[in-house]
Amino acid sequence: MQPEWPDPSLGVFETLLVSGGRVQAAEAHLDRLARSVTELYELELPPDLLGTTVTRARQMTGAHRLRIDAVPDRGRLRVEFQATPLDAAAAGAVVCAPVHLSGGLGRHKWSDRRLVDSLAGHGRVPLLVDSDGDVLEASFANVWLLERGTLVTPPADGRLLPGVTRSLLVALGPPNGLEVSVEPVSLERARAAAGVFLTSSLRHAVPATISTAAVTTGARAPLATTVPSTLARIRELLSGNCWT
């Protein structure tokens, strides 16, 4: 039986990239966390949380995943930090398996991941598709298509997490020679695109394929030859901005 909707009482969280003692897009991540905390629990983050986050990042060497959980606790907010070293191998290409989830997971980053975890299988990343056929997001990242030189991503319309890295690429792409379009994307359109990639705070941009009946054995469809060079530009752009 499919697990129920994520339990809001277990809190919300953010995942930040730390590299060489610096943290990326800390303010944007904490702003998103603050909005969720206010909307869901009518509480506020500690006023010094940004400074605490930056201080913790400066104590780390190498690349780390810094997770910040905000959990309601008897009318107050409990904030917890957890840092783990990054696995470089996790940045490789992924295969996405479409799964239908009416209305998506919404705009909050739920700490309760039981529903998402239940959708994963056979090494594939769940690709959430609404009942109307709209592609929303992957389980850990936002989705992008490459179509005739344009980067296309679904709108952050309340059905999906408004990714910090997604917003960064939407803002920085056009000034840096990358055409970006935010518009609804059907599953059929995604499968027909020249390329598909995912963006997230930790991986920045990784190539992806969408599984079909032809790849049920675990084989991966070939990537379009235009994708690697475009992804290299995107990774360079994303990795070079918003560090504190």
Side-chain angles (χ1 to χ4, degrees):
M1 184 175 65
Q2 179 172 287
E4 296 180 357
W5 183 260
D7 183 354
S9 70
L10 298 181
V12 287
F13 76 104
E14 288 292 323
T15 303
L16 294 78
L17 175 63
V18 176
S19 181
R22 299 185 302 163
V23 59
Q24 189 171 36
E27 291 189 35
H29 279 285
L30 295 184
D31 283 347
R32 186 174 66 181
L33 187 62
R35 288 193 295 270
S36 290
V37 164
T38 299
E39 182 176 332
L40 294 169
Y41 314 121
E42 298 183 346
L43 296 170
E44 295 184 356
L45 295 177
D48 61 345
L49 186 56
L50 176 59
T52 301
T53 301
V54 171
T55 298
R56 284 178 176 265
R58 287 175 180 165
Q59 297 170 354
M60 301 176 196
T61 57
H64 281 75
R65 172 184 186 264
L66 180 61
R67 172 168 170 153
I68 305 176
D69 282 86
V71 185
D73 186 2
R74 292 171 290 186
R76 304 182 68 178
L77 193 68
R78 187 173 75 250
V79 176
E80 302 170 342
F81 289 84
Q82 182 181 16
T84 54
L86 275 186
D87 180 4
V94 299
V95 176
C96 295
V99 292
H100 290 276
L101 185 64
S102 181
L105 283 172
R107 59 184 175 272
H108 305 297
K109 195 173 179 70
W110 304 108
S111 294
D112 183 358
R113 302 284 290 176
R114 289 174 295 178
L115 174 57
V116 172
D117 292 343
S118 74
L119 300 175
H122 305 292
R124 287 166 167 74
V125 173
L127 180 68
L128 304 186
V129 181
D130 205 345
S131 54
D132 61 2
D134 281 352
V135 171
L136 302 179
E137 59 185 328
S139 60
F140 73 88
N142 289 111
V143 179
W144 292 77
L145 311 184
L146 177 62
E147 295 182 328
R148 296 178 294 278
T150 299
L151 309 181
V152 182
T153 191
D157 57 7
R159 296 182 293 173
L160 57 92
L161 186 71
V164 170
T165 305
R166 171 192 174 278
S167 297
L168 192 61
L169 184 53
V170 168
L172 294 177
N176 288 277
L178 295 169
E179 185 175 346
V180 174
S181 179
V182 178
E183 56 187 271
V185 172
S186 69
L187 181 57
E188 181 181 8
R189 178 180 176 184
R191 282 182 164 143
V196 179
F197 66 97
L198 309 179
T199 57
S200 70
S201 296
L202 299 183
R203 305 188 189 186
H204 287 152
V206 296
T209 56
I210 300 175
S211 64
T212 66
V215 294
T216 54
T217 60
R220 298 190 177 190
L223 295 175
T225 56
T226 54
V227 173
S229 61
T230 302
L231 281 184
R233 291 180 61 195
I234 292 169
R235 290 192 191 106
E236 182 179 6
L237 179 63
L238 293 175
S239 65
N241 284 274
C242 296
W243 292 94
T244 302

